[in-house]
Amino acid sequence: DAKTTQPNSMESNEEEPVHLPCNHSTISGTDYIHWYRQLPSQGPEYVIHGLTSNVNNRMASLAIAEDRKSSTLILHRATLRDAAVYYCILLTFFGNEKLTFGTGTRLTIIP
Amino acid sequence: GAGVSQSPSNKVTEKGKDVELRCDPISGHTALYWYRQSLGQGLEFLIYFQGNSAPDKSGLPSDRFSAERTGGSVSTLTIQRTQQEDSAVYLCASSLVGPLAGFSYEQYFGPGTRLTVT
């Protein structure tokens, strides 16, 4: 399975943009890039996903490199509620989308 | 609308006892997943149900673990003869699958059941 690499932790000031990187150099053509996050003491929460083009939704934006070997989750204006562990994962289009999270990036928001 | 619910929220049990964990998925979601998360660890897949298809049990760690899904809705995860290494948060997720989901396969998670085996 294609793997992803993320920094263990990042810090950002409140109300500033946050760019969370993810490397996935062995991504295949059928892999979708998904991001989930997990707030303290809660279950994971879907954030965004994409295939080739950049994507925007109410929570975040996803910027995907042209060669698809890396991507960046962008929180445009971080709030304290965005403090969480962010997971970047690859899921194939077909069949059983078993999520397997690594350690992700722990994002700390500084007031 | 109602999200995924799980019960109980916390369960403390003695080593060797059996436990049952319940998951109520979002109405209309055909796919249901069980995961577990040990303290400070990532997410570990356990089992997947999709409609009337045979479940994918490839993540179950031993034959002490089993799960069923009745009527395509509620699911129960059973752990027999619990061991201390079974202590973890057990998470259930559901999703729409296929064209109705726009192929996003977004999974909606419940709050989890924290299992402690003493």
Side-chain angles (χ1 to χ4, degrees):
Chain A
D1 292 340
K3 295 187 184 292
T4 63
T5 305
Q6 300 176 252
N8 289 332
S9 62
M10 291 183 64
E11 288 186 349
S12 179
N13 294 320
E14 192 177 10
E15 299 186 4
E16 295 288 324
V18 181
H19 291 234
L20 298 165
C22 181
N23 287 319
H24 28 79
S25 59
T26 60
I27 191 170
S28 73
T30 57
D31 285 335
Y32 282 74
I33 302 159
H34 286 239
W35 284 80
Y36 279 75
R37 71 180 186 180
Q38 190 167 21
L39 279 64
S41 302
Q42 295 189 26
E45 173 186 34
Y46 167 84
V47 177
I48 200 167
H49 79 283
L51 183 63
T52 56
S53 303
N54 294 344
V55 184
N56 299 297
N57 67 19
R58 62 175 179 82
M59 290 181 69
S61 295
L62 177 60
I64 302 172
E66 197 169 333
D67 63 6
R68 301 212 320 129
K69 293 185 176 183
S70 65
S71 61
T72 302
L73 178 71
I74 303 167
L75 307 178
H76 293 286
R77 191 166 169 269
T79 70
L80 295 178
R81 290 191 69 255
D82 292 320
V85 180
Y86 287 78
Y87 300 98
C88 166
I89 54 177
L90 303 180
L91 297 176
T92 56
F93 181 82
F94 299 105
N96 176 353
E97 275 63 43
K98 302 178 252 193
L99 296 179
T100 302
F101 293 172
T103 52
T105 297
R106 183 174 297 278
L107 176 65
T108 300
I109 304 299
I110 302 168
Chain B
V4 177
S5 61
Q6 293 185 245
S7 60
S9 55
N10 279 286
K11 177 71 176 179
V12 180
T13 190
E14 292 180 354
K15 178 181 172 181
K17 295 286 181 68
D18 298 351
V19 295
E20 282 191 353
L21 312 180
R22 176 187 169 104
C23 172
D24 281 271
I26 293 173
S27 177
H29 280 193
T30 59
L32 186 147
Y33 302 77
W34 282 98
Y35 299 91
R36 73 177 176 181
Q37 193 169 34
S38 302
L39 186 64
Q41 300 298 309
L43 203 68
E44 177 187 3
F45 165 78
L46 297 177
I47 188 170
Y48 162 73
F49 295 90
Q50 167 50 29
N52 296 319
S53 302
D56 176 351
K57 304 179 182 179
S58 60
L60 295 178
S62 77
D63 58 8
R64 295 186 295 104
F65 288 72
S66 63
E68 62 177 18
R69 188 179 185 190
T70 54
S73 181
V74 172
S75 177
T76 302
L77 177 69
T78 301
I79 309 173
Q80 295 179 310
R81 305 180 303 281
T82 52
Q83 305 294 312
Q84 288 185 330
E85 61 262 29
D86 299 335
S87 296
V89 175
Y90 288 80
L91 292 157
C92 174
S94 71
S95 71
L96 287 170
V97 177
L100 288 177
F103 299 107
S104 71
Y105 297 100
E106 175 182 346
Q107 294 185 26
Y108 296 81
F109 283 80
T113 294
R114 181 174 298 278
L115 175 66
T116 304
V117 182
T118 61

